[in-house]
Amino acid sequence: MTTLSTTLAKRLEDPRLFRQYAYVNGKWTHGEGGREEAVYDPATNEAIGHIPLLEANQITAAVDAAEDAFGQWRALRADERCERLLAWYDLIQANREDLATIMTLEQGKPLPDSRGEVQYGASFVRWFAEEGKRTYGDTIPSPIPNASLGTLKEPVGISAMITPWNFPLAMITRKAAAALAAGCPVIIKPANETPFSALALAELAERAGIPEGIFNVVLGDPPEVSKILCSEPRIRALSFTGSTRVGRILIEQSANTVKRLALELGGNAPFIVGPDMDPKEAAYAAVAAKFQTAGQDCLAANRILVHESIHDEFVEQFAERMSALTVGNGLESEIDLGPLIHRQAVDKAASIVDDAVSKGATMVAGDQSQAPGENFFMPVLLTNVTANMKVWREENFAPVAGITKYSSDDEVIEMANDTEYGLAAYIYTHDIRRIWKLMRALEYGMVSVNSVKMTGPPVPFGGVKQSGLGREGGATGIDEYLETKYYCLGALGSVSGS
Ligand SMILES: NC(=O)c1ccc[n+]([C@@H]2O[C@H](COP(=O)([O-])OP(=O)(O)OC[C@H]3O[C@@H](n4cnc5c(N)ncnc54)[C@H](O)[C@@H]3O)[C@@H](O)[C@H]2O)c1
Ligand SMILES: N[C@@H](CC=O)C(=O)O
């Protein structure tokens, strides 16, 4: 196994947070078959470390460990699990600068954004630590004589989590904290592009006193590992965040074991600007909603739909604001957009732009000769975007903004819903009737009105249509990891009120 890369060694206050092993049953584990994979800093293409690719029997060993540990963990009182989770939360906070550095090195996002994600990720741990104490069952008025009926909430069992590279920490904590609080052991398979944030979380979970076997991070060839996790009958729940393409594969692979599935999949968010809006205010908001994480965000404004009466002024303001965005290595200061995750993402972005231009879109800005490195993509602004273009149909996951004109509310509703996706939508207008009409008509799991920011621990995060199943966070996020057990206590004698 390679030693710490010099870049990381120099930058971390606590180098033990940088682990190049899987974490199974409380032990740092190498691959028994000797296979490993390099992890690269997308800004420089420098290898920052290596991860082992585990063999099938090692993944099964993680399930064995989780099975052995489950009984003790579920038997803890909810407030005892809460204490462990709060200790984990405190450790994440105490190490936030190192966690942010690791994230920027493996993911590329600017350091202030990484700090924001660490904070965001930690907030789910605190939220679910508390929610675990409120997993109430019900009392049911009995239709059966002399019986008492009700429900208990019980942990679903071993829960597997497969997570993406764009939010390498928060997409783990939003799932794992809920499962742990509910009393479930977790087996996490992070994206191979960004494993080190997950492994740092494992190190901190161990320090927080989360017992061996309860928090596992497995690494390997993604299709190989996912297939084992999906077909393993002892794993009762699978929570996945990633593309709709892979989500569909996991649904199929989980069919034989009839797992509980929570799927947070792709988005294709419309950003609707009403005729009453100040074009500058709306354009600045649209730039913020489009370019976070260099456009590699499931909530990114993928299709910007602007009323014809303010379209030209909006485009002008958008272009001006966009031209002020700085692109560079996320470790440097004053950077707005880091690199894309790898070269294939750059090629995909370029092909989406080429497709749009070949079908009649106008490229207002986006000179790629200015890109500061191989994996960077300069922000692009396209106008005259139409529904036959990839930039409309696909989640572009890149800093490519496409603007389309519309003329009426009914037209924009139809345009916005013209997609298989249904994660998030933005509406910018101050007209209350329009707000209400659009909000009700949009086929999306989340609608944000006059606000770019829409997420946080109390929010039921999730999509409709092919953007997923279930909700993460909020008052119901923990339910993904709980079973409802109904009970009927009969022959109680005549108890008044039973
Ligand atoms: N809805 C949400 O909350 C949310 C949040 C973040 C990202 N996303 C989505 O994630 C996608 C981007 O992330 P990504 O590129 O990492 O997604 P991805 O689907 O390629 O990968 C996600 C995870 O699946 C694994 N994987 C990849 N191929 C696999 C296969 N054939 N079989 C099994 N597992 C496989 C990856 O290793 C990774 O761990 C976007 O579509 C984005 O919208 C959604
Ligand atoms: N930005 C999302 C993650 C999607 O990529 C979130 O806030 O959870």
Side-chain angles (χ1 to χ4, degrees), residues 73-105:
W73 183 248
R74 71 178 292 177
L76 289 180
R77 294 190 315 270
D79 62 295
E80 292 173 315
R81 286 196 295 271
C82 171
E83 290 309 319
R84 309 281 174 98
L85 285 168
L86 290 178
W88 192 32
Y89 168 81
D90 288 341
L91 285 162
I92 295 171
Q93 289 289 14
N95 291 281
R96 57 179 175 257
E97 202 52 31
D98 277 353
L99 292 170
T101 301
I102 291 172
M103 191 184 299
T104 291
L105 277 164

Side-chain angles (χ1 to χ4, degrees), residues 1 19-23 28-30 50-52 196 199 217 219:
M1 189 66 54
R19 295 290 192 160
Q20 300 184 79
Y21 297 94
Y23 184 72
W28 296 101
T29 306
H30 61 83
H50 290 75
I51 49 165
F196 295 129
L199 296 166
V217 179
L219 304 164

Side-chain angles (χ1 to χ4, degrees), residues 120 166-167 171 174 297-299 455 461:
Y120 181 53
N166 66 335
F167 280 75
M171 296 303 98
R174 191 158 70 187
D297 190 319
C298 57
L299 302 180
T455 60
F461 191 103

Side-chain angles (χ1 to χ4, degrees), residues 161-167 171 174-175 189-193 220-227 240-247 249-250 253 263-267 296-299 341-342 395 397 421 423 446 461-463 467-468 472:
M161 284 141 203
I162 302 179
T163 55
W165 48 261
N166 66 335
F167 280 75
M171 296 303 98
R174 191 158 70 187
K175 299 175 188 308
K189 193 215 82 63
N192 286 16
E193 291 87 344
D221 171 63
E224 223 174 273
V225 176
S226 304
K227 205 166 171 182
F240 169 72
T241 296
S243 62
T244 296
R245 181 187 70 82
V246 174
I249 297 174
L250 301 181
Q253 290 179 344
L263 303 173
E264 296 291 344
L265 308 177
Q296 304 168 113
D297 190 319
C298 57
L299 302 180
I341 191 68
H342 38 46
E395 177 184 38
F397 236 53
Y421 297 103
L423 187 60
M446 300 180 282
F461 191 103
S467 283
E472 286 191 335

Side-chain angles (χ1 to χ4, degrees), residues 308-381:
E308 58 189 4
S309 61
I310 59 164
H311 172 271
D312 294 355
E313 167 99 43
F314 178 94
V315 169
E316 222 170 88
Q317 294 290 345
F318 191 100
E320 192 187 313
R321 183 70 171 169
M322 192 180 96
S323 68
L325 296 173
T326 52
V327 180
N329 188 323
L331 291 175
E332 290 163 15
S333 54
E334 311 283 313
I335 294 298
D336 297 309
L337 272 70
L340 300 193
I341 191 68
H342 38 46
R343 183 69 210 177
Q344 298 94 288
V346 171
D347 293 343
K348 181 183 164 204
S351 83
I352 283 177
V353 173
D354 290 348
D355 171 79
V357 172
S358 75
K359 291 174 179 160
T362 307
M363 190 155 130
V364 178
D367 177 4
Q368 299 309 322
S369 70
Q370 303 297 309
E374 202 194 340
N375 296 336
F376 290 86
F377 199 78
M378 300 305 288
V380 169
L381 173 56

